[in-house]
Structures are given as C-alpha cells and as structure tokens.
Amino acid sequence: MNMIELKQVSRRYGAVQALAPLDFSVKQGEFVTLLGPSGSGKTTLLNVIAGMVNPSSGQIFVRGVDITKAPPSARGLGMVFQNYALMPHMTVFDNIAFPLRVRKMPKDEIARKVKDVLDMVRLPDIAQRKPKELSGGQQQRVSLARCIVYNPALILLDEPLGALDKKLREQMQLEIRRLHAELGITMLNVTHDQDEALSMSDRIVLMNEGRVEQIATPDELYRSPRTAFAASFIGTANLISGTVEHHAGERALVSTSLGMLRAAATACTASRGESVTLLVRPESVRMGPASDSPTGDGADGLRHAGTLEDSIMLGSVVRHHVRLTGGMQMVVQQQDSRRRPAPERGAPVLLDWAPEDCQMILQD
Ligand SMILES: Nc1ncnc2c1ncn2[C@@H]1O[C@H](COP(=O)(O)OP(=O)(O)OP(=O)(O)O)[C@@H](O)[C@H]1O
Ligand SMILES: [Mg+2]
C-alpha cells in the first residue's frame, strides 16, 4: 500500500517553476530520500506534502485519502526541521510533551511516553535541561524524539543532519535507520548529501531543477544512472561524449574523441547518429605503466595513453587523476596496495576498461 502518492503535483512562485508536475509514491514502511542540488525543489516538495505550501496543481494522497486541501494538523504527519525548531524557553521534557499535551493525553501517560522516547534516542538523563544546554547532535535527537513521541505514520525530515559534523552525522544516520526499522514508520528524508542518500535509503528520488530526474534504489542509481546528471551527482563519473555508430540489443559502438568505444547499452535506446554520453566509474578503470604490453583481455583492444597528474590517498583506496594525450582528464580509483605500488606522479600511464563497465547513457 502507498503511504503517500503524488499525482501531477506542481508549484510555481511567480515566474519560478519550483516544481514541475511530478508523480511519485512512497510505500508504507519505506525510507525514501529526496536528493538534489540546492534549489532543485526538495524543500518545496516536502512542504507541499506537509501542507505548509499549497500546490499550484495536482493531488496528494495519504493512505489513499486525498489530503490536498487538508490543513497540516489534520494530515497526521511528523516533521523534523534542519534548525531543530525546539522551543528555547522550555525544558527537553516540555518540548517533547508538547504535542501530547496538545492532544490532551493524561499526565502520567505523557511522563511515561517522554521517558520511553528519550531512552529510544539514547538520551535518558537530560529531560530537565533547556535546548541551549545541549550539543547540536543532542538537540537533533530531541527534535526526533518530539516527532516520534506521538507515533505519526509518516515522518518528513528536511536536512535534519545538515548542521552536524561528519562523525555525528554518520552516527545519527544509523540512529534514524534503527528507529525506522524498530518503529516501522515511513520516512521521507531530504538531503543534498549523496553519501547520506546512498547509505540510508530504500529508494532515492533524484531531483534537478524542479523535475524528477530518476527514482531508483541506491544501487540502481549508482550502477545504472539514466542521465549524465544522475551519473555525476551520485559518486564520481568519468563522462565521455560521443555519437552512436551502431546499437544492437544491449551493446553499442560509440565514436568518441578516444576512438571507437564498445559500451553496454542496457538502459539507453539511442540509435545510430544520436549523441550520447559514456560513463566509466573510477573503480572500473585499470591503470598500468606505459611500459606494459597491451593485454586486450576483454577490452576494446584500445588502451589510452596519458600522464599521472596526481594521486590522493583516501584510506583503503587511492584516487588518481590522469590527463589523457588528447587533453581529457580521467579519475582512476584503485585499492591501495604495497605489493603493486602506483606509478610516480608525472609518469606516463596506460588506461583501459572492460566494455561492460562502459555504459551508454542519455546526454543532458
Ligand atoms: N517562498 C518562495 N518564493 C519564491 N521562490 C521560492 C520560494 N520558496 C522556494 N522558491 C524557489 O523555488 C526553487 C526551489 O526551492 P527549494 O527551497 O524547494 O529548493 P531545495 O531543493 O530545498 O534547495 P536547498 O538544498 O538549497 O534547500 C528555488 O529556485 C527557490 O528560489
Ligand atoms: Mg531545502
């Protein structure tokens, strides 16, 4: 069953089309992330669902009921904001109790619920403090607690972790995932952080300029991006533009500045003469010293000569920047290995990749 369903929902601000008419749904119990660059319409979409912004067109359904015209309070949704939005003059206890008091719950039941929910976000001892006596991460947990305390069926999160440092953010990501799994609450999260989207989501809605670019699982989005925009927004992408020379079934031959390249064409239907983009992920590129004899094992038989400009150590992997002879820069990622040291900076190198790791996708 769909928890949320949007049909042709759009929003215009004067001349700005903040959201083009879009359709999508979130299933019950799912964790879906709205991901996209600044200004792509993520907050607008979340606010339209929450009832804080009226859509210019379209309909919104929650559990099959049309709530397009319902006020925010009647939608039964919880919302966690980026800036915590805790009430500064109230204690943590009162902040969390607030939505329950509004609902006229008996006092002892409120006390029990607040205690439970503070245990759940692992802050059992801070009920009597004020928000300003807490760290950013603790305030974030309190806003989450205030949201889950009244058991909403759906929680909307607008960049809730944006203000936290990397370590705390990763910890909170795990925490939110744990609560999601334990409580079975449907969650719709907004972020512009691709790592957060990849690690937390069942599905990602990738947005670009008010449109939905692609809706897919993290794995699909990384492995089979539909467009060059999607390929470069998720992970690092080597993009090579070219023209289709031949396309049959799931294989294509594409004419590029690097020569005629073989490519996998599973998701792209472009035919002869059309402009396309080829995607090769950094971890799929093999790099060897220029003295290596060509291997040709499953490759195009083409090896691309270049110069190693830079190598960056990223823990267990090393990222190399290679300038090819024609001027194009490619990113190569390899496991760090003491047994197979990388060539020196400035050394001539040869790159190649397997045709199945070179994907033909739509040009933007
Ligand atoms: N109240 C408003 N009045 C006019 N234009 C607005 C308003 N709210 C948003 N916009 C415009 O709508 C577009 C989408 O804005 P939105 O806040 O949804 O983006 P976002 O994806 O959340 O970006 P960010 O990552 O920066 O938060 C932007 O061009 C923005 O300037
Ligand atoms: Mg926003």
Side-chain angles (χ1 to χ4, degrees):
M1 166 154 126
N2 284 332
M3 180 58 86
I4 317 176
E5 187 169 3
L6 273 68
K7 290 189 180 160
Q8 292 294 296
V9 167
S10 75
R11 171 71 206 204
R12 182 173 270 292
Y13 290 108
V16 179
Q17 180 91 53
L19 287 179
L22 54 83
D23 296 302
F24 86 89
S25 56
V26 178
K27 290 196 260 310
Q28 182 149 11
E30 218 180 2
F31 193 107
V32 172
T33 295
L34 303 176
L35 174 70
S38 184
S40 56
K42 306 179 297 293
T43 296
T44 304
L45 182 49
L46 212 64
N47 284 338
V48 163
I49 295 171
M52 252 93 82
V53 167
N54 289 322
S56 306
S57 72
Q59 287 172 292
I60 304 157
F61 299 85
V62 170
R63 289 187 163 132
V65 178
D66 187 339
I67 53 135
T68 317
K69 300 241 153 53
S73 58
R75 297 187 179 202
L77 316 176
M79 182 124 185
V80 181
F81 300 91
Q82 167 157 23
N83 54 7
Y84 321 133
L86 295 173
M87 287 165 276
H89 56 284
M90 288 187 187
T91 62
V92 166
F93 184 96
D94 291 335
N95 262 284
I96 299 175
F98 187 78
L100 304 179
R101 289 186 178 135
V102 170
R103 286 169 175 74
K104 307 252 187 303
M105 193 178 273
K107 246 184 162 169
D108 50 339
E109 201 179 335
I110 290 180
R112 191 174 47 76
K113 285 222 164 202
V114 172
K115 185 186 175 307
D116 283 355
V117 85
L118 278 173
D119 285 345
M120 216 178 279
V121 298
R122 303 185 187 187
L123 288 174
D125 306 318
I126 57 141
Q128 291 317 315
R129 291 204 217 161
K130 298 270 176 69
K132 69 171 189 315
E133 296 160 349
L134 301 175
S135 73
Q138 289 168 335
Q139 291 181 49
Q140 196 57 68
R141 284 170 202 229
V142 173
S143 9
L144 201 59
R146 186 180 56 176
C147 190
I148 55 184
V149 75
Y150 59 93
N151 279 330
L154 170 68
I155 296 184
L156 308 174
L157 306 122
D158 190 2
E159 309 233 18
L161 312 179
L164 307 182
D165 69 49
K166 187 168 155 47
K167 192 148 180 229
L168 202 50
R169 202 159 63 219
E170 285 171 358
Q171 213 174 318
M172 281 299 294
Q173 287 169 3
L174 287 177
E175 202 83 345
I176 292 175
R177 277 298 299 189
R178 181 178 64 83
L179 288 172
H180 172 255
E182 267 174 26
L183 304 175
I185 302 177
T186 310
M187 292 188 176
L188 183 59
N189 180 45
V190 164
T191 187
H192 57 258
D193 177 344
Q194 48 151 306
D195 292 330
E196 180 177 318
L198 287 173
S199 65
M200 294 185 77
S201 320
D202 296 318
R203 283 191 305 151
I204 296 172
V205 178
L206 181 62
M207 301 190 58
N208 182 20
E209 296 180 345
R211 290 175 294 102
V212 171
E213 188 83 14
Q214 187 167 2
I215 301 179
T217 64
D219 199 62
E220 276 169 356
L221 202 53
Y222 187 77
R223 283 176 213 287
S224 313
R226 219 173 47 78
T227 60
F229 173 85
S232 46
F233 204 81
I234 303 283
T236 307
N238 291 301
L239 299 175
I240 307 160
S241 48
T243 310
V244 179
E245 192 65 31
H246 181 74
H247 183 177
E250 299 194 339
R251 290 173 181 219
L253 259 185
V254 178
S255 159
T256 75
S257 62
L258 301 181
M260 196 67 77
L261 299 181
R262 286 202 275 153
T266 41
C268 178
T269 56
S271 52
R272 188 183 161 83
E274 283 187 66
S275 298
V276 289
T277 299
L278 298 180
L279 162 67
V280 186
R281 292 288 184 193
E283 63 274 17
S284 306
V285 184
R286 296 179 291 217
M287 181 175 78
S291 55
D292 268 11
S293 57
T295 54
D297 52 338
D300 294 282
L302 283 181
R303 307 189 83 200
H304 309 283
T307 307
L308 179 58
E309 288 193 324
D310 202 11
S311 299
I312 303 161
M313 177 73 183
L314 297 172
S316 61
V317 296
V318 185
R319 185 164 281 200
H320 307 284
H321 293 122
V322 173
R323 180 75 57 184
L324 296 182
T325 311
M328 186 188 296
Q329 197 193 49
M330 291 206 67
V331 183
V332 181
Q333 188 165 302
Q334 295 184 329
Q335 293 294 318
D336 183 35
S337 162
R338 282 180 210 290
R339 275 181 293 144
R340 188 173 46 81
E344 300 268 303
R345 194 173 296 181
V349 291
L350 286 173
L351 304 185
D352 72 345
W353 49 83
E356 61 269 25
D357 291 330
C358 175
Q359 276 199 65
M360 183 162 98
I361 59 183
L362 288 175
Q363 205 161 46
D364 284 337

